[in-house]
Amino acid sequence: MNTLPERTTSEGPPAPAADTRKRPATRGPVRTTKWRRDGTVPPWGFVVPALLVYAVVVLYPSLAGVVYAFTDWSGIGGFSFVGLDNFRTLLDDRRALESVRNTLLLTVAVVVVQNAVGLLLALGVHANIRSRSLLRVIFFAPAVVSPVMVAFLWKYVYNPDDDAGLNGILGAVGLGGLRQDWLGDPSLALWSVAAMVVWQYAGYSMVIFLAGLQGVPAELHEAARIDGAGTWQRFRYVTWPLLAPALTINLMLSTIGGLKLFDQVYAATNGGPGTSSETLSTVLYKEAFVFGKFGYSTAVALVLALFVAAVSLVQLRYLRAREVTA
């Protein structure tokens, strides 16, 4: 059978047939319900248990401590509110005021020496030497040891006998005249504890400084070397400004740690001899667990917490400003 040819027009080929298949309807935004119908838990469901634990373990004791600071609570039984009497007692307590002085001196010594030693160690192990990995491990190792263990170790180092510990080493090298009762002398006990803390945490500061050093571009040092800058000039004008974030972290951590230092002091000297190495942390511990004055001890703890927060905020603002201008 003959078929007629398709008619063509000047308008071109015929238009394709329209697609009559049904397209799936586009879904709008999924609305999260209180509990999803498919049985899955919404994101906040994973946060609530952790927040409850945090509230019970941290928030409630902290708020209760603020309340107890204004009471005469003895740790057991009832209590009565005494207003600001605990804080007035604190201002008149000679031992507490001396502990504030000791805490500040100890903090300054730890912050300055620990960060200086940590920076020197970081510069040393950052150099291209074969044993740098081993040295990093050795210098950082004390930071992971329990502070109480470090204190007992250094109590042996500070043994007052002439033939033991540091005194024995001094005698062996002909410096017997420098032998001291390091923890029994009121004028040396606080600084002996400071040396102990620096020995333990200088490696921790080293690691933070080392991370900052590894972030300094090598191209900057090469450009400064080509321009004729010496080793000190490259450190002063290239490395040091770029270490500002690492310095901020180290100063903040060492300051907070020094202000609330307790373990090493209590284990090594128990605040003695006398009150020569007493800190605010040891005072509040003794007032609570030795003398049973929990209300007064929480007042001391509240003052310590506010003092640490104030010092940290001031220090943080200054160091952040330095990071911008460095």
Side-chain angles (χ1 to χ4, degrees):
M1 180 182 293
N2 294 330
T3 59
L4 295 176
E6 293 183 357
R7 297 179 61 186
T8 60
T9 63
S10 60
E11 297 178 356
D19 189 1
T20 58
R21 291 177 297 177
K22 293 184 178 181
R23 298 178 181 273
T26 57
R27 300 179 60 185
V30 179
R31 296 182 179 180
T32 56
T33 57
K34 189 174 182 180
W35 293 102
R36 297 183 179 180
R37 295 180 179 179
D38 57 358
T40 60
V41 181
W44 54 264
F46 296 95
V47 179
V48 171
L51 289 178
L52 290 176
V53 174
Y54 180 79
V56 173
V57 176
V58 178
L59 293 182
Y60 174 74
S62 300
L63 296 177
V66 174
V67 174
Y68 289 140
F70 299 92
T71 68
D72 60 354
W73 189 44
S74 62
I76 56 175
F79 58 85
S80 59
F81 287 92
V82 295
L84 299 176
D85 288 353
N86 289 329
F87 300 94
R88 296 190 186 97
T89 303
L90 176 61
L91 294 176
D92 295 333
D93 190 347
R94 183 189 63 82
R95 185 167 63 95
L97 294 179
E98 186 175 356
S99 71
V100 174
R101 170 183 168 274
N102 293 338
T103 301
L104 293 176
L105 290 176
L106 185 61
T107 301
V108 171
V110 168
V111 169
V112 173
V113 181
Q114 175 182 320
N115 286 283
V117 174
L119 179 58
L120 292 176
L121 293 177
L123 292 172
V125 299
H126 185 61
N128 191 18
I129 56 178
R130 305 179 69 178
S131 59
R132 58 181 179 178
S133 299
L134 177 61
L135 291 176
R136 292 175 186 179
V137 174
I138 293 175
F139 293 145
F140 181 72
V144 300
V145 180
S146 169
V148 176
M149 293 297 296
V150 171
F152 281 110
L153 171 65
W154 277 81
K155 285 185 73 173
Y156 174 77
V157 174
Y158 289 139
N159 194 313
D161 294 339
D162 291 342
D163 57 348
L166 181 59
N167 286 339
I169 296 175
L170 292 174
V173 297
L175 299 176
L178 298 179
R179 290 180 292 198
Q180 303 287 338
D181 187 0
W182 302 100
L183 297 178
D185 189 342
S187 62
L188 295 176
L190 188 67
W191 310 116
S192 299
V193 173
M196 178 195 315
V197 176
V198 169
W199 177 84
Q200 181 173 11
Y201 292 112
Y204 191 87
S205 299
M206 175 202 71
V207 171
I208 298 176
F209 279 127
L210 187 60
L213 288 172
Q214 292 176 344
V216 178
E219 295 81 2
L220 296 179
H221 282 284
E222 186 64 26
R225 187 181 295 108
I226 294 174
D227 289 340
T231 303
W232 167 250
Q233 290 176 322
R234 292 198 303 271
F235 173 78
R236 173 66 180 84
Y237 297 106
V238 177
T239 304
W240 181 246
L242 295 177
L243 281 179
L247 181 64
T248 298
I249 296 173
N250 268 329
L251 289 180
M252 291 291 297
L253 292 177
S254 57
T255 299
I256 295 174
L259 290 174
K260 63 184 186 66
L261 196 63
F262 171 76
D263 297 10
Q264 294 91 333
V265 177
Y266 191 79
T269 65
N270 196 20
T275 58
S276 60
S277 62
E278 200 84 84
T279 64
L280 276 173
S281 296
T282 59
V283 167
L284 70 89
Y285 175 83
K286 291 179 181 179
E287 291 294 338
F289 298 102
V290 177
F291 303 112
K293 299 179 181 179
F294 278 81
Y296 178 62
S297 68
T298 51
V300 177
L302 180 59
V303 170
L304 176 60
L306 293 176
F307 183 68
V308 171
V311 171
S312 300
L313 288 175
V314 172
Q315 189 181 45
L316 181 61
R317 292 195 61 178
Y318 171 77
L319 293 173
R320 288 298 187 188
R322 179 188 175 276
E323 289 182 19
V324 174
T325 58

